[in-house]
Amino acid sequence: MSTTDTPLDRATRSGDQGNGAIQASASRSTDTTTQLWTLLWALYTTQFIGASFLQTGLTGILRSGGAELSTLSALQLLGLAWPLKFLWAPVLDRWSPRSRSGHHRAWVILLQSLMILSLLALALVGDPVRGLWTIIVLAGAFVLFSATQDVAADALSVRGLSVTQHDRGAGVQVGASYIGTVIGGGLALLVYDLWGWRAAVLLLVLCTAAAMLPVLRYREPAREDSAAPGPGLRSMLGVLGVPGARIWALVAVPLVSFGSAAVWSLVTPALVDLGWSLARIGLVTSVVASVPALAAAVLGGSLCRRWGRAPTMVLGAATQLLGGLALLGVISGALPIDSGVGATSAVAGTCLVLAGYTVTTTGIYAVNLNLARPHHAGADFTLLTSISMFTGTVGAWAGLFIAAMAGYSVAAVVALAVAVAGILVCRSHQRRWAQ
């Protein structure tokens, strides 16, 4: 038997090695993609676990302990870090605390750690009412860290997901927020009722710390330093120069966010005025409505791929309009809230409004992912979402202001009309700029 290689033997062996290399590369690519999806679910969930607890749970805890409404209103102002984060987002794109760990991954490791530490510090406060100002300072630190972590997470989404994955990615971003809402706004309050303040905060710590596991496993794709964005206003607002971005960011999305937030702002005070308890309202708005909203986020990403984003957003607007009309029947008194039909209409309307807005938001986030430039990923996506958050905040104020001046029914009609107008602009935009 000859031990001498023939050209055919060498070619065959080379081909086997080449096929093996291709298979190994494909396997690594699949593993990286899986790790990225796990990472995004974890990061976006933990953001909203803490944010939901601070926005709803902490407010209820402090109020039950006798905190003044004026103090609680100041606590809500901490949320301004989210719409204002575009101001420091370019820093995260340009500089990294430890770029060898992955440019934006290094930021996530740092900020997730700071989120955990700030929550641990909150757990050290024995009585949240007596230590109110300490709570506010630590809560402010957590909100700042989580808002900045969102910039890095968005950058990982833009850079890690292919164009064909943007629809699914948007579904993950929106869907994870509702998982966080259920845990932070529902489960944490249940734990508080059973075992107290420290147990509730430690639940948040454990959930936030668990997200570090996929962060440490993920390997961010290498980035060329020469592609790093330059400082200044041009870098910060550069995404508005992308074709179609201005009409999208400055007209379409603000109208949708303004109208949708105005509708949602009416739900809790209207149900309070109709006689529902805070516990019942919290259960419906933070837990019950979050379940179909989570399903709507996943479905929205799938429908964006199958139908296109414009039809999906129209479906979301129609669902939201149907929910708004159901709530309007209760608010106007046409359906008495103490009747079975009225109570069902209130719950169904709340679920439909939130689910419809979720479907619409999934389409909006998918477009935002497309518009964001890869080397300005954090700054671009953050600016687009910050505009939406800011106009949503204004919309929530406007909804309640109109309700105070003209009643809930008028406010609901105006809010729904603005939201529908925004969807029509979104539909027109996508017909022209979808490609």
Side-chain angles (χ1 to χ4, degrees):
M1 184 174 178
S2 174
T3 59
T4 304
D5 281 347
T6 67
L8 179 59
D9 293 331
R10 289 192 295 271
T12 300
R13 188 164 58 250
S14 176
D16 290 341
Q17 293 172 347
N19 289 336
I22 292 173
Q23 292 173 355
S25 177
S27 177
R28 286 194 298 271
S29 177
T30 301
D31 290 344
T32 301
T33 302
T34 301
Q35 290 173 6
L36 178 59
W37 288 121
T38 304
L39 173 67
L40 297 181
W41 273 110
L43 293 182
Y44 288 117
T45 297
T46 55
Q47 286 172 13
F48 283 89
I49 287 175
S52 177
F53 178 75
L54 295 177
Q55 184 178 23
T56 58
L58 181 59
T59 300
I61 291 170
L62 294 177
R63 182 59 177 168
S64 66
E68 297 293 335
L69 289 177
S70 58
T71 303
L72 298 183
S73 66
L75 184 65
Q76 300 302 312
L77 293 177
L78 298 177
L80 287 175
W82 280 79
L84 293 177
K85 63 187 175 176
F86 75 93
L87 295 174
W88 58 88
V91 175
L92 275 71
D93 282 336
R94 182 164 181 79
W95 180 77
S96 175
R98 190 178 179 185
S99 57
R100 286 181 296 178
S101 300
H103 185 95
H104 291 101
R105 175 176 173 270
W107 276 113
V108 171
I109 292 174
L110 172 63
L111 292 163
Q112 197 78 11
S113 300
L114 291 173
M115 289 164 63
I116 294 169
L117 291 175
S118 60
L119 288 174
L120 281 172
L122 278 173
L124 294 177
V125 179
D127 185 341
V129 177
R130 289 184 179 180
L132 180 60
W133 290 106
T134 302
I135 291 290
I136 290 177
V137 170
L138 292 174
F142 177 85
V143 171
L144 179 63
F145 297 147
S146 63
T148 309
Q149 183 256 49
D150 184 59
V151 176
D154 290 341
L156 290 176
S157 298
V158 173
R159 296 189 61 237
L161 299 176
S162 66
V163 174
T164 58
Q165 295 173 321
H166 284 176
D167 296 319
R168 181 183 174 189
V172 170
Q173 290 176 321
V174 179
S177 69
Y178 291 111
I179 298 178
T181 298
V182 170
I183 297 174
L187 182 58
L189 281 181
L190 176 62
V191 171
Y192 173 80
D193 284 338
L194 293 175
W195 296 295
W197 166 258
R198 285 178 174 165
V201 178
L202 286 176
L203 171 67
L204 307 183
V205 172
L206 291 175
C207 292
T208 306
M212 287 295 288
L213 296 177
V215 173
L216 296 175
R217 291 186 59 193
Y218 180 67
R219 291 295 175 265
E220 183 181 357
R223 160 180 149 145
E224 298 177 7
D225 291 339
S226 60
L233 191 63
R234 178 176 297 181
S235 175
M236 187 184 299
L237 303 179
V239 67
L240 298 180
V242 175
R246 291 182 185 178
I247 188 69
W248 176 259
L250 302 180
V251 180
V253 173
L255 285 173
V256 174
S257 299
F258 183 100
S260 298
V263 172
W264 187 250
S265 72
L266 304 175
V267 175
T268 295
L271 292 178
V272 169
D273 290 351
L274 289 170
W276 275 20
S277 67
L278 289 177
R280 188 177 185 183
I281 294 171
L283 176 65
V284 171
T285 58
S286 295
V287 180
V288 175
S290 292
V291 176
L294 172 59
V298 177
L299 177 63
S302 177
L303 292 180
C304 282
R305 293 195 301 273
R306 295 182 182 181
W307 294 359
R309 289 158 191 169
T312 300
M313 286 188 282
V314 170
L315 174 63
T319 303
Q320 189 175 13
L321 180 61
L322 183 62
L325 292 175
L327 286 172
L328 187 60
V330 176
I331 292 172
S332 65
L335 299 173
I337 191 68
D338 54 356
S339 69
V341 175
T344 301
S345 182
V347 175
T350 301
C351 291
L352 288 172
V353 165
L354 193 57
Y357 178 61
T358 301
V359 172
T360 301
T361 303
T362 301
I364 289 173
Y365 273 34
V367 176
N368 289 349
L369 285 169
N370 271 16
L371 291 174
R373 300 162 297 169
H375 296 305
H376 300 70
D380 285 2
F381 193 88
T382 297
L383 177 62
L384 295 173
T385 54
S386 293
I387 293 173
S388 175
M389 290 177 184
F390 177 77
T391 52
T393 301
V394 175
W397 167 82
L400 293 174
F401 180 80
I402 296 172
M405 295 296 102
Y408 287 120
S409 298
V410 173
V413 170
V414 172
L416 289 170
V418 173
V420 169
I423 288 297
L424 293 178
V425 179
C426 287
R427 181 170 177 267
S428 175
H429 176 277
Q430 284 298 283
R431 282 187 169 183
R432 181 177 181 186
W433 298 104
Q435 299 305 319

